[in-house]
Structure formats: structure tokens, C-alpha cells
């Protein structure tokens, strides 16, 4: 679950990803996930799916790539590409960076994550 801020507004968009990962080897996983994103006054809510590959470069660092398909309310579906990396500082805290390209917009995201 993550929160996003658009155009220096408050954190008012919530994204929930849930899915399944299948290990091919110790370092490579295939995954399939569903995604729900809340809406606000400037962006419609959406639902979608993503499928991709996760590669563990080291025990603390990983790289993920995915193809996404998202459908916003009263709009056509959009297809996108997403590439992200993650570095685990501790078991619960990690740094992550994401580049997400969709038909309608480009999103670059840097952040700190918390796992529970």
C-alpha cells in the first residue's frame, strides 16, 4: 500500500497492490498483481493488473520491471511500463526508486518504504 502526492498537493491518493510471485530461481521471480488506486477531485479512481519480473541483484538490492494495464472510471484503458529498484536498509525499512510510463503521463518516484 502506498500514498502518492500529485503536484505538491496533500497525500490523497492511495494505491494497493496485491498478487502472487513465483520463484524461477533464487534470484528471479515472476509475478502477477492487481492494483486499486483511489481517486480525488483531479484524478479518477482506477483498477488494473500488472505482470513482471523481479531480479535480486544482491540479498539487499532488487530490480523489478512490469507491464501494467489500468482502467480509470469513464476512460479507456491505458498500458504502461514500470521499472523500480529497492535497497533494503533493515528488515523493515527500504529505499526505492520507480520510473513509470503510461500513455497519458510519466511518473518518477523516489521514496522510503516500510514493510510489515
Amino acid at each position: 500500500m502506498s500514498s502518492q502526492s500529485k503536484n505538491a498537493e496533500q497525500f490523497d491518493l492511495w494505491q494497493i497492490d496485491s498478487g502472487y510471485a513465483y520463484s524461477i530461481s533464487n534470484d528471479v521471480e515472476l509475478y502477477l498483481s492487481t492494483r486499486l488506486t483511489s481517486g480525488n477531485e483531479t484524478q479518477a479512481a482506477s483498477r488494473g493488473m500488472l505482470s513482471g519480473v523481479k531480479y535480486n541483484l544482491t540479498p539487499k538490492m532488487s530490480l523489478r520491471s512490469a507491464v501494467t494495464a489500468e482502467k480509470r472510471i469513464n476512460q479507456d484503458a491505458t498500458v504502461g511500463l514500470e521499472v523500480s529498484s529497492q535497497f533494503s536498509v533493515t528488515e523493515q525499512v527500504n529505499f526505492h526508486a520507480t520510473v513509470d510510463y503510461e500513455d497519458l503521463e510519466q511518473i518518477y518516484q523516489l521514496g522510503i518504504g516500510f514493510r510489515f
Side-chain angles (χ1 to χ4, degrees), residues 15 17 22-24 41 61-63 65 69-70 92 96 98 106 113-114:
Q15 179 175 297
D17 291 340
Y22 176 77
S23 293
I24 294 177
E41 59 276 349
M61 185 174 227
S62 64
L63 182 66
S65 63
E70 220 170 325
Q92 286 81 26
H96 62 270
T98 300
Q106 295 180 35
F114 182 76

Side-chain angles (χ1 to χ4, degrees), residues 19-64:
Y20 178 76
Y22 176 77
S23 293
I24 294 177
S25 68
N26 289 338
D27 296 330
V28 179
E29 293 179 349
L30 298 176
Y31 62 91
L32 179 66
S33 178
T34 59
R35 176 175 286 173
L36 297 173
T37 305
S38 68
N40 61 17
E41 59 276 349
T42 60
Q43 182 174 329
S46 66
R47 62 182 184 269
M49 294 188 70
L50 58 131
S51 178
V53 177
K54 177 182 177 186
Y55 181 70
N56 295 318
L57 301 167
T58 68
K60 290 188 171 237
M61 185 174 227
S62 64
L63 182 66
R64 291 174 46 158

Side-chain angles (χ1 to χ4, degrees), residues 72-83:
R72 289 191 169 89
I73 297 173
N74 299 325
Q75 294 180 4
D76 291 333
T78 59
V79 176
L81 297 173
E82 185 176 296
V83 178

